[in-house]
Amino acid sequence: MDSFDTKLLLALILPGLLVILFTRVTFHHVVGLILTVALIAASVYAGYTHNWLLYGADALSLTVGFWYATRMMKIARQHEQEE
């Protein structure tokens, strides 16, 4: 697998997973999103991401991860209120 292909695949998967992970750790989906955006900004600043296609893949993954984390938190709150 080429280096760009690997970066693109990771850009499509990792930011969304990081949002979900940070949401589970902090119990707040917005904090999870902010921490993930900060990590992506640090990687861009360090020069690991240098293509607009990778920026778009990161944004898409962040959006999907944030949607899933928001859904996950709503379901958790509903279960908490039922008990």
Side-chain angles (χ1 to χ4, degrees), residues 47-68:
Y48 295 115
T49 305
H50 52 275
N51 191 335
W52 285 102
L53 186 60
L54 293 176
Y55 298 149
D58 282 338
L60 176 67
S61 182
L62 280 171
T63 303
V64 171
F66 183 69
W67 168 80
Y68 184 77

Side-chain angles (χ1 to χ4, degrees), residues 26-49:
T26 63
F27 299 107
H28 201 279
H29 58 282
V30 176
V31 175
L33 179 68
I34 290 170
L35 289 172
T36 306
V37 169
L39 278 176
I40 290 174
S43 74
V44 169
Y45 182 74
Y48 295 115
T49 305

Side-chain angles (χ1 to χ4, degrees), residues 7-17 54 56-58 60-62:
K7 286 182 181 182
L8 183 61
L9 183 63
L10 290 175
L12 286 171
I13 297 171
L14 282 181
L17 289 177
L54 293 176
D58 282 338
L60 176 67
S61 182
L62 280 171

